[in-house]
Amino acid sequence: TGLFTYDAGFLSTASCKSKITFIDGDKGELLYRGYPIEELAEHCNFLDVAYLLKHGDLPTSEQKIDFVKIIKRHTMIHEQMAKFYQGFRRDAHPMAVMVGVVGALSAFYHEAEEGFLDPKARNVNFNRIVAKMPTIVALAYRYSRGKPFMYPRNDLGYTANFMHMMFGTPCEEYVPNPVIVHALDTIFTLHADHEQNASTSTVRLAGSSGANPYACISAGIGCLWGPAHGGANEACLKMLAEIGDVSRVPEYIKRAKDKNDSFKLMGFGHRVYKNFDPRAKIMRKICDDVLRELGLENDPLFKLAKELERIALEDDYFVEKKLYPNVDFYSGIVQKAIGIPTEMFTCIFALARTVGWMVQWEEMVMDPEYKIGRPRQVYVGEPRRGVPPTRRPE
Ligand code: CMC
């Protein structure tokens, strides 16, 4: 392999040192700043978790009040930016719109990359994008449906306001269901960070050149879109719809095991977790709560998902390869029940992961060992050779 260690897909290379998130894939353990995800999901809301990831500890009640106030101050986007959506086709995938609109934040806040050595400027960057993401995601949805844009309502909490911007009607008070708000808020918490996954590594690599952080987040959104990563929740729901009936589950399990078939069980398997993804366990419970609240316990899609999970978990192929349901397996079903359209699922993932991306970006730029990321390669192409005489000009 020449001079360099070859590690395709970074299976054994640590790209950085980090104090943010810890995963023990064999145990199925996930900690944010040392706190188990199960406890955070139960006792904290998404803004507590965002504060924790950013500042290293959970906020005191005064810190929480200030943080919530600051986030509310930043929820609106520049009116000029709202016009930016008009340039997209209405049938564009909302993740494509997100790549463009979030990238365009860098055109509105040019100073963001210059201020990265100033902690105050870094806080403003973080608060600004965390506050604006629900607005940006909701506008992408409203634009795709030709619905009027809804301004943020700062009398509502972070997640309730997001639901208002998604589903509200002008001049009518939107009253979100607290069970649904809690479920969505927990989905945000579960997606807030996940150490050096593909999109976070993309953000770090893009940021390592000193690029504008919003442009880096846009790069992260592009990476998240793929079905092997954040796009799996959308792909999982499409797969369930294609399977259609419990009676067809064995056929699809067979396909997933077939080496000559590219079909994979979406929402199954993980690079790091070789045990249950702890987020999937929480998501399964949320799924039960939401379906019960909405009277959808007998929802055929949910029954199908449970049957698929049951058969896969008993199958030797999945047992031997340690393939368990991941976070995306149930998140799509919950979101569908809430009324979020399939193509928006990954945008919601991006909304939440923006917290992790920004915090990881900051950790990188503040790292005294920080260098531009510049992987090397193992060259396997042609050796040096000359252009043939027949190709040379007379
Ligand atoms: N269905 C059937 N077989 C699978 C699956 C699956 N979902 N996942 C992995 N395998 C097989 C794979 O074919 C390989 O077999 P072999 O050793 O015979 O070649 C073995 O299991 C190891 O898999 P891998 O693809 O080498 O593992 P990886 O770490 O490179 O990939 C993964 C991890 C998540 C990309 C993969 O499991 C996958 O594509 N899963 C489906 C997509 C998905 O649910 N992604 C969401 C991941 S979690 C949330 C997120 O990151 O956004």
Side-chain angles (χ1 to χ4, degrees):
T1 57
L3 283 172
F4 307 106
T5 310
Y6 176 51
D7 181 15
F10 302 103
L11 264 97
S12 59
T13 301
S15 60
C16 63
K17 293 180 187 162
S18 181
K19 293 182 176 169
I20 304 168
T21 290
F22 173 79
I23 304 176
D24 183 329
D26 294 325
K27 275 209 247 163
E29 180 178 60
L30 169 64
L31 312 176
Y32 291 165
R33 301 278 189 191
Y35 293 108
I37 192 68
E38 294 80 5
E39 292 188 23
L40 292 171
E42 195 177 338
H43 304 297
C44 303
N45 70 17
F46 178 63
L47 283 188
D48 291 319
V49 168
Y51 187 99
L52 166 71
L53 287 165
K54 169 79 172 80
H55 299 286
D57 227 324
L58 286 165
T60 61
S61 39
E62 291 83 46
Q63 286 166 334
K64 178 75 186 285
I65 291 168
D66 284 350
F67 185 55
V68 169
K69 212 187 277 171
I70 292 167
I71 293 293
K72 289 190 171 176
R73 196 186 298 154
H74 286 286
T75 49
M76 276 186 283
I77 59 167
H78 197 295
E79 283 292 314
Q80 208 55 32
M81 209 170 146
K83 294 198 179 119
F84 203 80
Y85 289 83
Q86 317 291 331
F88 289 97
R89 289 170 55 133
R90 296 228 187 238
D91 63 356
H93 195 288
M95 280 297 275
V97 176
M98 296 279 295
V99 169
V101 176
V102 174
L105 279 175
S106 56
F108 288 86
Y109 305 103
H110 279 296
E111 78 297 349
E113 73 272 23
E114 288 151 21
F116 76 74
L117 287 176
D118 172 6
K120 271 203 199 130
R122 291 199 306 274
N123 284 349
V124 173
N125 286 341
F126 176 83
N127 296 336
R128 187 191 273 147
I129 194 161
V130 170
K132 290 188 193 325
M133 279 306 270
T135 316
I136 291 171
V137 171
L139 292 194
Y141 167 61
R142 306 286 294 201
Y143 179 74
S144 72
R145 297 293 195 273
K147 291 189 174 185
F149 289 177
M150 301 294 289
Y151 282 107
R153 261 185 57 194
N154 289 341
D155 58 320
L156 296 173
Y158 186 86
T159 305
N161 172 49
F162 173 62
M163 294 196 66
H164 148 78
M165 290 188 290
M166 286 285 288
F167 304 120
T169 309
C171 310
E172 234 178 61
E173 195 184 354
Y174 179 75
V175 186
N177 176 333
V179 175
I180 307 297
V181 172
H182 178 257
L184 196 55
D185 197 82
T186 312
I187 291 183
F188 292 167
T189 292
L190 299 182
H191 287 86
D193 193 52
H194 213 227
E195 53 119 303
Q196 306 314 315
N197 56 85
S199 58
T200 302
S201 300
T202 300
V203 171
R204 279 191 179 246
L205 195 57
S208 77
S209 71
N212 181 293
Y214 303 126
C216 301
I217 300 297
S218 167
I221 293 173
C223 176
L224 185 74
W225 190 0
H229 193 4
N233 48 19
E234 182 179 345
C236 177
L237 217 79
K238 285 187 179 153
M239 172 191 78
L240 293 175
E242 190 188 312
I243 298 175
D245 190 77
V246 174
S247 62
R248 296 182 66 199
V249 168
E251 180 195 326
Y252 279 81
I253 296 274
K254 199 169 156 221
R255 281 190 61 193
K257 298 189 314 192
D258 183 352
K259 272 242 164 262
N260 300 316
D261 190 331
S262 61
F263 174 77
K264 279 188 174 179
L265 269 197
M266 286 294 136
F268 259 79
H270 197 275
R271 171 62 62 80
V272 186
Y273 294 119
K274 300 301 167 199
N275 199 325
F276 242 95
D277 177 341
R279 302 166 302 170
K281 280 192 195 162
I282 302 169
M283 197 64 86
R284 201 175 199 266
K285 156 115 187 19
I286 296 174
C287 196
D288 280 333
D289 294 347
V290 166
L291 295 177
R292 197 179 320 110
E293 173 68 18
L294 299 175
L296 297 171
E297 296 101 319
N298 292 322
D299 179 59
L301 208 68
F302 187 53
K303 283 196 164 164
L304 183 60
K306 279 200 164 161
E307 183 63 2
L308 190 68
E309 186 191 41
R310 188 188 66 78
I311 298 186
L313 287 176
E314 285 171 4
D315 191 287
D316 287 352
Y317 173 92
F318 291 88
V319 173
E320 270 159 31
K321 293 194 187 301
K322 300 189 173 157
L323 300 169
Y324 290 88
N326 60 51
V327 69
D328 289 319
F329 190 68
Y330 281 107
S331 76
I333 301 171
V334 179
Q335 293 184 59
K336 183 171 185 285
I338 293 175
I340 295 168
T342 318
E343 75 276 9
M344 292 304 297
F345 295 173
T346 317
C347 299
I348 290 185
F349 192 155
L351 181 167
R353 185 55 58 83
T354 294
V355 168
W357 288 332
M358 284 303 281
V359 172
Q360 299 268 352
W361 170 84
E362 179 173 16
E363 184 177 62
M364 179 198 62
V365 294
M366 294 318 294
D367 185 343
E369 291 173 11
Y370 152 61
K371 281 184 169 57
I372 185 167
R374 190 5 178 137
R376 297 305 308 265
Q377 62 170 5
V378 176
Y379 178 69
V380 292
E382 296 287 347
R384 185 189 169 99
R385 55 184 172 161
V387 173
T390 49
R391 290 277 184 163
R392 297 185 188 189
E394 294 287 310

